[in-house]
Amino acid sequence: MDTPRFTLICCSVDPAAAEALRRNVAATIGEPLEFDVWDNRGRKVGLCDGYDRCAERTGGESRCFAHG
């Protein structure tokens, strides 16, 4: 499988909001997208730590970080 050009990383405690973000971006970006969510419910790690963990497991050429 080819590495996607774009990766969107979202740190969230609201799965419905994260899914809404995924659907919105997927419908408007115009090309394949990798989407990774750090579900921080119960984990309560810092935002940057959640982003770092997702960045380690994703591979897009460009990464966008969002809080949802």
Side-chain angles (χ1 to χ4, degrees), residues 12-51:
S12 181
V13 295
D14 184 346
E19 176 58 19
L21 175 64
R22 184 201 64 78
R23 284 192 316 266
N24 182 286
V25 174
T28 58
I29 195 169
E31 62 181 85
L33 168 76
E34 178 181 28
F35 187 78
D36 194 10
V37 175
W38 179 261
D39 185 346
N40 211 27
R41 294 176 296 166
R43 294 180 181 179
K44 305 300 181 196
V45 300
L47 183 63
C48 292
D49 188 28
Y51 285 157

Side-chain angles (χ1 to χ4, degrees), residues 1-8 31-35 58-63:
M1 183 168 144
D2 292 331
T3 301
R5 187 165 168 210
F6 296 104
T7 299
L8 178 58
E31 62 181 85
L33 168 76
E34 178 181 28
F35 187 78
T58 59
E61 292 175 28
S62 297
R63 291 183 178 114

Side-chain angles (χ1 to χ4, degrees), residues 52-67:
D52 286 344
R53 292 178 191 202
C54 287
E56 288 175 359
R57 65 186 185 201
T58 59
E61 292 175 28
S62 297
R63 291 183 178 114
C64 176
F65 297 87
H67 183 68

